[in-house]
Amino acid sequence: MNVQHHLTDETIQDYAAGSLTASMETLVACHLTVCNQCRHKAMLAENVGGSLFDDMEPAAVAGSAMDLLARAAMMPEHSAPSSPASKPAFKGVPLPLARQLPADLDDLDWRRIAPGIKQFNLSSQHRKHGAFQLLHLDPGVVLSAHSHNDRELTYLVQGSYTDEIGQFKAGDIADLDGHDQTHQPVVDSKEPCIALIATQSPVNYSGVFSKIMQPFVGI
Amino acid sequence: MNTLVAEPAKKREGAQPDKKTEASLALRKRMGDNLVAIGLHRDEAAFADVYSYYSGRVKSFLMGKGMNDEIAEELTQEIMLTVWRRSISYDPKKAAASTWLFTIARNRRIDYLRGNSRIEVELDDEMLDVETTESDPQAKFVSDAQSAKQLERALEKLPQEQRQVMHLSYFRGQSHGAIAKWLDLPIGTVKSRIRLAMQAVRSSLLSEDESLHDNSTESS
Ligand SMILES: [Zn+2]
């Protein structure tokens, strides 16, 4: 896959840190599947996390290694969680997304929301937690100009569109992050353009750090 | 070939590793050896060493990310039990012990909070892009002792403000926005520090890669 538009370093780092929502993770994992350049960056970001892990100030732990081993000896070891048995094979759909689809792209229960535009919602959550959906755009469709306030990721599943930033094809990511710039995508592929979109609304930050903000070493 | 213990035959000029780097590399090797020993012979002494080094860090990570003491303690014990039982799957050629531990703790926390697993690339995905893996210089850094040293040094050299933001992102804040709020900085500043740190680490690995090329031997 000839990928032209990649994830930003910040998004890759956020993914490695485990700070993204499940929907954002899905988009990132889709792109990492088809782009080994970003996949290697993600591996590096995990290694950075591992290296920095050593610098952490340890917390006091109540249990001991020997207690744990004694407990382990008495606890049955349930078999390793095997990867989901059936592997969906939807053409052109990376597994991180395919596993969340009830059917092939053609057979989804698309909902028409405007002329030439259909939508399939992937999240049962309330919209305030951020949107997670597939958009199905007919060839030639022009979306109305809009900008994004929230964090938004788009992964192109099939087809292509062009906007002010460039042309986006299958495998590409549009990693828009609080860009105020307005963009107006135009579908320019012969086949319908299908895009996976996730937005992450700002979470409520209050109390996140509360009193657990301990001194840490090395920084 | 055991890439982790393979030291380059000659020290390169200007490569004067400071004590901290040497110490962390020695520790990296000891912990990697421990995990292998646990995996191979259920070595209890090796586990005790791993436990005493990592359990406090795992718990600190969980609490730093917002868990209370009780839940963090419980999850820490579960994570260390996973280490005991799954060390057989640890491959020292693929990751440092700390990276392995960090990803287990990260994923377990996500499991706990979300009730479903972290979503990751599946390496047997038919769509997996593998074309250039062999020739990509970035592909070998993880498995290479020299690269581990370069990574340590690159992190040491980061400006304090970048290190701080990286540390917060991995182990404290829930998001870049939360970090911005905590440090009272615009979110754009937090993001640019993370970007700069990632670029610095990457370029330090890539720039030294060519000069090291004759030292590297590929195995598969
Ligand atoms: Zn990419």
Side-chain angles (χ1 to χ4, degrees):
Chain A
M1 204 168 262
N2 188 17
V3 177
Q4 296 294 330
H5 298 277
H6 299 277
L7 293 157
T8 61
D9 282 335
E10 306 94 273
T11 302
I12 289 174
Q13 191 275 336
D14 229 4
Y15 176 76
S19 305
L20 298 178
T21 59
S23 53
M24 288 281 189
E25 266 176 17
T26 304
L27 264 101
V28 171
C30 281
H31 181 75
L32 295 185
T33 300
V34 301
C35 176
N36 74 4
Q37 187 183 329
C38 286
R39 198 160 69 241
H40 291 314
K41 285 184 181 180
M43 268 156 61
L44 177 57
E46 275 189 352
N47 279 268
V48 169
S51 283
L52 295 174
F53 200 53
D54 289 329
D55 294 344
M56 207 148 34
E57 177 109 337
V61 176
S64 76
M66 290 310 130
D67 289 348
L68 185 60
L69 290 184
R71 262 171 56 199
M74 308 207 311
M75 275 191 290
E77 190 164 348
H78 33 228
S79 53
S82 51
S83 51
S86 63
K87 206 168 70 170
F90 301 146
K91 196 175 180 311
V93 183
L95 283 173
L97 171 60
R99 289 201 186 282
Q100 298 176 54
L101 294 181
D104 206 342
L105 292 172
D106 293 336
D107 302 323
L108 289 178
D109 190 12
W110 295 98
R111 192 169 64 94
R112 188 178 173 277
I113 55 174
I117 304 174
K118 290 183 285 189
Q119 183 232 36
F120 181 80
N121 201 0
L122 282 156
S123 169
S124 52
Q125 282 190 323
H126 192 274
R127 237 195 116 79
K128 73 178 179 197
H129 297 294
F132 187 35
Q133 60 181 351
L134 282 164
L135 277 189
H136 183 293
L137 309 167
D138 286 347
V141 158
V142 181
L143 292 183
S144 49
H146 61 287
S147 62
H148 301 275
N149 294 320
D150 294 348
R151 181 161 195 192
E152 173 166 327
L153 282 179
T154 303
Y155 172 83
L156 257 273
V157 183
Q158 75 167 47
S160 65
Y161 72 78
T162 296
D163 69 4
E164 285 75 358
I165 300 166
Q167 191 187 36
F168 291 80
K169 294 179 177 170
D172 281 336
I173 279 267
D175 194 347
L176 299 172
D177 194 0
H179 281 280
D180 290 332
Q181 78 199 88
T182 311
H183 73 138
Q184 184 167 36
V186 178
V187 176
D188 53 7
S189 52
K190 289 199 183 90
E191 57 177 345
C193 173
I194 297 179
L196 177 65
I197 298 167
T199 58
Q200 185 163 324
S201 298
V203 289
N204 180 12
Y205 300 133
S206 62
V208 164
F209 286 102
S210 57
K211 56 182 184 294
I212 45 87
M213 199 63 207
Q214 299 155 341
F216 29 82
V217 234
I219 63 172
Chain B
M1 176 184 87
N2 191 339
T3 44
L4 266 181
V5 294
E7 284 291 315
K10 56 183 165 95
K11 286 237 163 83
R12 282 168 307 114
E13 279 191 45
Q16 201 94 55
D18 52 87
K19 284 211 175 86
K20 183 153 190 282
T21 305
E22 285 297 318
S24 54
L25 289 168
L27 188 93
R28 174 190 162 118
K29 181 176 171 347
R30 191 175 98 216
M31 290 301 154
D33 290 348
N34 280 337
L35 291 180
V36 170
I38 298 166
L40 288 181
H41 348 90
R42 302 231 145 186
D43 185 326
E44 296 195 358
F47 180 70
D49 195 22
V50 165
Y51 186 96
S52 78
Y53 183 72
Y54 286 114
S55 62
R57 287 176 169 77
V58 167
K59 188 170 171 184
S60 174
F61 160 72
L62 295 171
M63 292 179 72
K65 286 280 193 178
M67 274 178 190
N68 70 33
D69 189 295
E70 194 185 341
I71 295 170
E73 174 76 26
E74 199 181 309
L75 280 193
T76 298
Q77 297 302 325
E78 267 185 43
I79 288 162
M80 297 313 293
L81 183 61
T82 303
V83 169
W84 170 248
R85 288 181 169 168
R86 304 262 185 275
S87 283
I88 190 75
S89 68
Y90 170 72
D91 182 352
K93 291 202 278 294
K94 285 197 177 141
S98 292
T99 303
W100 195 67
L101 259 290
F102 165 64
T103 55
I104 290 175
R106 176 198 66 190
N107 295 358
R108 184 65 191 93
R109 174 181 169 272
I110 289 172
D111 269 4
Y112 177 83
L113 292 177
R114 279 209 310 238
N116 55 37
S117 305
R118 172 179 165 87
I119 295 153
E120 297 197 302
V121 173
E122 298 184 37
L123 294 173
D124 59 349
D125 196 325
E126 279 170 26
M127 292 192 71
L128 192 76
D129 166 34
V130 283
E131 276 172 43
T132 54
T133 305
E134 292 307 310
S135 57
D136 191 331
Q138 286 191 73
K140 84 174 179 61
F141 68 84
V142 270
S143 60
D144 184 302
Q146 189 63 35
S147 301
K149 191 175 280 189
Q150 283 165 228
L151 176 58
E152 288 295 330
R153 264 195 242 129
L155 289 171
E156 290 295 316
K157 277 191 286 189
L158 287 183
Q160 141 106 11
E161 56 180 32
Q162 289 175 23
R163 260 182 88 78
Q164 179 191 40
V165 165
M166 292 289 271
H167 201 286
L168 290 171
S169 173
Y170 283 107
F171 309 125
R172 294 291 183 255
Q174 309 279 25
S175 68
H176 296 155
I179 295 165
K181 191 153 179 156
W182 171 255
L183 296 174
D184 200 16
L185 288 169
I187 187 166
T189 307
V190 168
K191 286 174 183 297
S192 74
R193 285 180 187 174
I194 285 173
R195 188 166 56 241
L196 289 170
M198 291 298 296
Q199 284 167 356
V201 167
R202 202 161 56 239
S203 66
S204 78
L205 293 176
L206 291 177
S207 63
E208 292 189 50
D209 186 74
E210 300 215 341
S211 62
L212 294 169
H213 204 69
D214 46 6
N215 279 337
S216 72
T217 38
E218 295 297 329
S219 67
S220 61

